[in-house]
Amino acid sequence: MAMTFFPSINKGKPAAIIGIARQLVLYIPVMLILPKMMGVSGIYFGSLAIDAIIVLWTVVMVRKEFTRLRTKDNANLTLN
């Protein structure tokens, strides 16, 4: 959902960073290392860990953005 939230508020960069980080920074290294160490179960544990990290990171980013939007709206209301 965050992948569509950020572009909808004209901030496509965070969505692109999330997508690229998930695939290149996390997925490829984890899938090359964990299966060698743990076998087939390393694929499942690696996928779980990657998704957990991305979810937590995305929640933090969305919360910060909502805080910015709220303060921006409050500033606009006090000026009018």
Side-chain angles (χ1 to χ4, degrees):
M1 290 173 58
M3 297 295 280
T4 58
F5 167 71
F6 285 111
S8 70
I9 60 169
N10 290 327
K11 292 189 177 184
K13 188 175 179 179
I17 290 172
I18 291 169
I20 291 171
R22 182 172 191 263
Q23 295 301 318
L24 294 178
V25 177
L26 295 174
Y27 193 79
I28 291 174
V30 168
M31 290 303 139
L32 290 174
I33 296 169
L34 280 182
K36 290 179 182 177
M37 294 171 45
M38 301 176 67
V40 175
S41 62
I43 295 170
Y44 296 111
F45 288 123
S47 294
L48 175 67
I50 291 167
D51 287 341
I53 290 167
I54 291 297
V55 164
L56 292 174
W57 183 31
T58 303
V59 165
V60 169
M61 290 175 68
V62 169
R63 280 184 139 186
K64 285 182 181 180
E65 194 58 44
F66 272 117
T67 302
R68 286 186 194 132
L69 289 172
R70 281 190 201 111
T71 56
K72 185 178 177 180
D73 284 343
N74 287 340
N76 286 339
L77 288 175
T78 56
L79 292 175
N80 292 333

mmCIF file with all atom_site columns, all heavy atoms in Angstrom, residues 56-67:
data_model
loop_
_atom_site.group_PDB
_atom_site.id
_atom_site.type_symbol
_atom_site.label_atom_id
_atom_site.label_alt_id
_atom_site.label_comp_id
_atom_site.label_asym_id
_atom_site.label_entity_id
_atom_site.label_seq_id
_atom_site.pdbx_PDB_ins_code
_atom_site.Cartn_x
_atom_site.Cartn_y
_atom_site.Cartn_z
_atom_site.occupancy
_atom_site.B_iso_or_equiv
_atom_site.pdbx_formal_charge
_atom_site.auth_seq_id
_atom_site.auth_comp_id
_atom_site.auth_asym_id
_atom_site.auth_atom_id
_atom_site.pdbx_PDB_model_num
ATOM 1   N N   . LEU A 1 56 ? 8.421  -2.956 8.792  1.00 0.00 ? 56 LEU A N   1
ATOM 2   C CA  . LEU A 1 56 ? 8.764  -2.015 9.866  1.00 0.00 ? 56 LEU A CA  1
ATOM 3   C C   . LEU A 1 56 ? 9.292  -0.695 9.304  1.00 0.00 ? 56 LEU A C   1
ATOM 4   O O   . LEU A 1 56 ? 8.908  0.383  9.759  1.00 0.00 ? 56 LEU A O   1
ATOM 5   C CB  . LEU A 1 56 ? 9.797  -2.640 10.798 1.00 0.00 ? 56 LEU A CB  1
ATOM 6   C CG  . LEU A 1 56 ? 9.302  -3.822 11.625 1.00 0.00 ? 56 LEU A CG  1
ATOM 7   C CD1 . LEU A 1 56 ? 10.456 -4.450 12.391 1.00 0.00 ? 56 LEU A CD1 1
ATOM 8   C CD2 . LEU A 1 56 ? 8.211  -3.382 12.577 1.00 0.00 ? 56 LEU A CD2 1
ATOM 9   N N   . TRP A 1 57 ? 10.151 -0.785 8.316  1.00 0.00 ? 57 TRP A N   1
ATOM 10  C CA  . TRP A 1 57 ? 10.713 0.414  7.695  1.00 0.00 ? 57 TRP A CA  1
ATOM 11  C C   . TRP A 1 57 ? 9.622  1.248  7.024  1.00 0.00 ? 57 TRP A C   1
ATOM 12  O O   . TRP A 1 57 ? 9.586  2.479  7.146  1.00 0.00 ? 57 TRP A O   1
ATOM 13  C CB  . TRP A 1 57 ? 11.783 -0.009 6.692  1.00 0.00 ? 57 TRP A CB  1
ATOM 14  C CG  . TRP A 1 57 ? 12.520 1.103  6.021  1.00 0.00 ? 57 TRP A CG  1
ATOM 15  C CD1 . TRP A 1 57 ? 12.807 2.341  6.526  1.00 0.00 ? 57 TRP A CD1 1
ATOM 16  C CD2 . TRP A 1 57 ? 13.061 1.078  4.706  1.00 0.00 ? 57 TRP A CD2 1
ATOM 17  N NE1 . TRP A 1 57 ? 13.508 3.076  5.598  1.00 0.00 ? 57 TRP A NE1 1
ATOM 18  C CE2 . TRP A 1 57 ? 13.681 2.328  4.478  1.00 0.00 ? 57 TRP A CE2 1
ATOM 19  C CE3 . TRP A 1 57 ? 13.106 0.127  3.700  1.00 0.00 ? 57 TRP A CE3 1
ATOM 20  C CZ2 . TRP A 1 57 ? 14.306 2.638  3.290  1.00 0.00 ? 57 TRP A CZ2 1
ATOM 21  C CZ3 . TRP A 1 57 ? 13.740 0.436  2.525  1.00 0.00 ? 57 TRP A CZ3 1
ATOM 22  C CH2 . TRP A 1 57 ? 14.333 1.678  2.324  1.00 0.00 ? 57 TRP A CH2 1
ATOM 23  N N   . THR A 1 58 ? 8.704  0.583  6.345  1.00 0.00 ? 58 THR A N   1
ATOM 24  C CA  . THR A 1 58 ? 7.622  1.279  5.654  1.00 0.00 ? 58 THR A CA  1
ATOM 25  C C   . THR A 1 58 ? 6.668  1.936  6.645  1.00 0.00 ? 58 THR A C   1
ATOM 26  O O   . THR A 1 58 ? 6.218  3.066  6.419  1.00 0.00 ? 58 THR A O   1
ATOM 27  C CB  . THR A 1 58 ? 6.861  0.308  4.739  1.00 0.00 ? 58 THR A CB  1
ATOM 28  O OG1 . THR A 1 58 ? 7.798  -0.281 3.831  1.00 0.00 ? 58 THR A OG1 1
ATOM 29  C CG2 . THR A 1 58 ? 5.779  1.009  3.960  1.00 0.00 ? 58 THR A CG2 1
ATOM 30  N N   . VAL A 1 59 ? 6.375  1.261  7.740  1.00 0.00 ? 59 VAL A N   1
ATOM 31  C CA  . VAL A 1 59 ? 5.500  1.847  8.767  1.00 0.00 ? 59 VAL A CA  1
ATOM 32  C C   . VAL A 1 59 ? 6.121  3.130  9.307  1.00 0.00 ? 59 VAL A C   1
ATOM 33  O O   . VAL A 1 59 ? 5.431  4.141  9.479  1.00 0.00 ? 59 VAL A O   1
ATOM 34  C CB  . VAL A 1 59 ? 5.220  0.829  9.897  1.00 0.00 ? 59 VAL A CB  1
ATOM 35  C CG1 . VAL A 1 59 ? 4.639  1.493  11.113 1.00 0.00 ? 59 VAL A CG1 1
ATOM 36  C CG2 . VAL A 1 59 ? 4.308  -0.272 9.402  1.00 0.00 ? 59 VAL A CG2 1
ATOM 37  N N   . VAL A 1 60 ? 7.413  3.097  9.566  1.00 0.00 ? 60 VAL A N   1
ATOM 38  C CA  . VAL A 1 60 ? 8.094  4.293  10.068 1.00 0.00 ? 60 VAL A CA  1
ATOM 39  C C   . VAL A 1 60 ? 8.019  5.424  9.038  1.00 0.00 ? 60 VAL A C   1
ATOM 40  O O   . VAL A 1 60 ? 7.712  6.578  9.380  1.00 0.00 ? 60 VAL A O   1
ATOM 41  C CB  . VAL A 1 60 ? 9.563  3.968  10.427 1.00 0.00 ? 60 VAL A CB  1
ATOM 42  C CG1 . VAL A 1 60 ? 10.368 5.226  10.688 1.00 0.00 ? 60 VAL A CG1 1
ATOM 43  C CG2 . VAL A 1 60 ? 9.617  3.042  11.625 1.00 0.00 ? 60 VAL A CG2 1
ATOM 44  N N   . MET A 1 61 ? 8.262  5.112  7.787  1.00 0.00 ? 61 MET A N   1
ATOM 45  C CA  . MET A 1 61 ? 8.221  6.136  6.741  1.00 0.00 ? 61 MET A CA  1
ATOM 46  C C   . MET A 1 61 ? 6.821  6.727  6.569  1.00 0.00 ? 61 MET A C   1
ATOM 47  O O   . MET A 1 61 ? 6.671  7.944  6.427  1.00 0.00 ? 61 MET A O   1
ATOM 48  C CB  . MET A 1 61 ? 8.707  5.553  5.413  1.00 0.00 ? 61 MET A CB  1
ATOM 49  C CG  . MET A 1 61 ? 10.185 5.249  5.378  1.00 0.00 ? 61 MET A CG  1
ATOM 50  S SD  . MET A 1 61 ? 10.702 4.443  3.859  1.00 0.00 ? 61 MET A SD  1
ATOM 51  C CE  . MET A 1 61 ? 10.469 5.740  2.671  1.00 0.00 ? 61 MET A CE  1
ATOM 52  N N   . VAL A 1 62 ? 5.801  5.880  6.598  1.00 0.00 ? 62 VAL A N   1
ATOM 53  C CA  . VAL A 1 62 ? 4.424  6.361  6.429  1.00 0.00 ? 62 VAL A CA  1
ATOM 54  C C   . VAL A 1 62 ? 4.003  7.198  7.632  1.00 0.00 ? 62 VAL A C   1
ATOM 55  O O   . VAL A 1 62 ? 3.349  8.239  7.474  1.00 0.00 ? 62 VAL A O   1
ATOM 56  C CB  . VAL A 1 62 ? 3.465  5.181  6.182  1.00 0.00 ? 62 VAL A CB  1
ATOM 57  C CG1 . VAL A 1 62 ? 2.018  5.612  6.267  1.00 0.00 ? 62 VAL A CG1 1
ATOM 58  C CG2 . VAL A 1 62 ? 3.749  4.542  4.830  1.00 0.00 ? 62 VAL A CG2 1
ATOM 59  N N   . ARG A 1 63 ? 4.386  6.770  8.836  1.00 0.00 ? 63 ARG A N   1
ATOM 60  C CA  . ARG A 1 63 ? 4.056  7.565  10.030 1.00 0.00 ? 63 ARG A CA  1
ATOM 61  C C   . ARG A 1 63 ? 4.677  8.954  9.955  1.00 0.00 ? 63 ARG A C   1
ATOM 62  O O   . ARG A 1 63 ? 4.031  9.957  10.270 1.00 0.00 ? 63 ARG A O   1
ATOM 63  C CB  . ARG A 1 63 ? 4.538  6.868  11.293 1.00 0.00 ? 63 ARG A CB  1
ATOM 64  C CG  . ARG A 1 63 ? 3.643  5.786  11.766 1.00 0.00 ? 63 ARG A CG  1
ATOM 65  C CD  . ARG A 1 63 ? 4.149  5.246  13.052 1.00 0.00 ? 63 ARG A CD  1
ATOM 66  N NE  . ARG A 1 63 ? 2.997  5.022  13.920 1.00 0.00 ? 63 ARG A NE  1
ATOM 67  C CZ  . ARG A 1 63 ? 3.087  4.659  15.154 1.00 0.00 ? 63 ARG A CZ  1
ATOM 68  N NH1 . ARG A 1 63 ? 4.265  4.491  15.716 1.00 0.00 ? 63 ARG A NH1 1
ATOM 69  N NH2 . ARG A 1 63 ? 2.005  4.449  15.864 1.00 0.00 ? 63 ARG A NH2 1
ATOM 70  N N   . LYS A 1 64 ? 5.941  9.021  9.552  1.00 0.00 ? 64 LYS A N   1
ATOM 71  C CA  . LYS A 1 64 ? 6.601  10.324 9.427  1.00 0.00 ? 64 LYS A CA  1
ATOM 72  C C   . LYS A 1 64 ? 5.889  11.197 8.399  1.00 0.00 ? 64 LYS A C   1
ATOM 73  O O   . LYS A 1 64 ? 5.712  12.397 8.605  1.00 0.00 ? 64 LYS A O   1
ATOM 74  C CB  . LYS A 1 64 ? 8.064  10.145 9.031  1.00 0.00 ? 64 LYS A CB  1
ATOM 75  C CG  . LYS A 1 64 ? 8.946  9.679  10.151 1.00 0.00 ? 64 LYS A CG  1
ATOM 76  C CD  . LYS A 1 64 ? 10.384 9.570  9.704  1.00 0.00 ? 64 LYS A CD  1
ATOM 77  C CE  . LYS A 1 64 ? 11.256 9.075  10.825 1.00 0.00 ? 64 LYS A CE  1
ATOM 78  N NZ  . LYS A 1 64 ? 12.669 8.967  10.417 1.00 0.00 ? 64 LYS A NZ  1
ATOM 79  N N   . GLU A 1 65 ? 5.477  10.586 7.312  1.00 0.00 ? 65 GLU A N   1
ATOM 80  C CA  . GLU A 1 65 ? 4.803  11.358 6.268  1.00 0.00 ? 65 GLU A CA  1
ATOM 81  C C   . GLU A 1 65 ? 3.436  11.858 6.740  1.00 0.00 ? 65 GLU A C   1
ATOM 82  O O   . GLU A 1 65 ? 3.055  12.997 6.462  1.00 0.00 ? 65 GLU A O   1
ATOM 83  C CB  . GLU A 1 65 ? 4.666  10.537 4.994  1.00 0.00 ? 65 GLU A CB  1
ATOM 84  C CG  . GLU A 1 65 ? 4.303  11.350 3.796  1.00 0.00 ? 65 GLU A CG  1
ATOM 85  C CD  . GLU A 1 65 ? 5.300  12.459 3.506  1.00 0.00 ? 65 GLU A CD  1
ATOM 86  O OE1 . GLU A 1 65 ? 6.510  12.225 3.574  1.00 0.00 ? 65 GLU A OE1 1
ATOM 87  O OE2 . GLU A 1 65 ? 4.843  13.585 3.193  1.00 0.00 ? 65 GLU A OE2 1
ATOM 88  N N   . PHE A 1 66 ? 2.702  11.025 7.459  1.00 0.00 ? 66 PHE A N   1
ATOM 89  C CA  . PHE A 1 66 ? 1.419  11.476 7.999  1.00 0.00 ? 66 PHE A CA  1
ATOM 90  C C   . PHE A 1 66 ? 1.615  12.603 8.999  1.00 0.00 ? 66 PHE A C   1
ATOM 91  O O   . PHE A 1 66 ? 0.814  13.542 9.045  1.00 0.00 ? 66 PHE A O   1
ATOM 92  C CB  . PHE A 1 66 ? 0.652  10.314 8.650  1.00 0.00 ? 66 PHE A CB  1
ATOM 93  C CG  . PHE A 1 66 ? -0.212 9.561  7.685  1.00 0.00 ? 66 PHE A CG  1
ATOM 94  C CD1 . PHE A 1 66 ? 0.028  8.217  7.423  1.00 0.00 ? 66 PHE A CD1 1
ATOM 95  C CD2 . PHE A 1 66 ? -1.264 10.170 7.039  1.00 0.00 ? 66 PHE A CD2 1
ATOM 96  C CE1 . PHE A 1 66 ? -0.759 7.512  6.543  1.00 0.00 ? 66 PHE A CE1 1
ATOM 97  C CE2 . PHE A 1 66 ? -2.057 9.476  6.152  1.00 0.00 ? 66 PHE A CE2 1
ATOM 98  C CZ  . PHE A 1 66 ? -1.805 8.141  5.897  1.00 0.00 ? 66 PHE A CZ  1
ATOM 99  N N   . THR A 1 67 ? 2.673  12.540 9.795  1.00 0.00 ? 67 THR A N   1
ATOM 100 C CA  . THR A 1 67 ? 2.958  13.627 10.739 1.00 0.00 ? 67 THR A CA  1
ATOM 101 C C   . THR A 1 67 ? 3.243  14.913 9.982  1.00 0.00 ? 67 THR A C   1
ATOM 102 O O   . THR A 1 67 ? 2.747  15.982 10.352 1.00 0.00 ? 67 THR A O   1
ATOM 103 C CB  . THR A 1 67 ? 4.156  13.253 11.627 1.00 0.00 ? 67 THR A CB  1
ATOM 104 O OG1 . THR A 1 67 ? 3.864  12.034 12.314 1.00 0.00 ? 67 THR A OG1 1
ATOM 105 C CG2 . THR A 1 67 ? 4.440  14.342 12.634 1.00 0.00 ? 67 THR A CG2 1
#
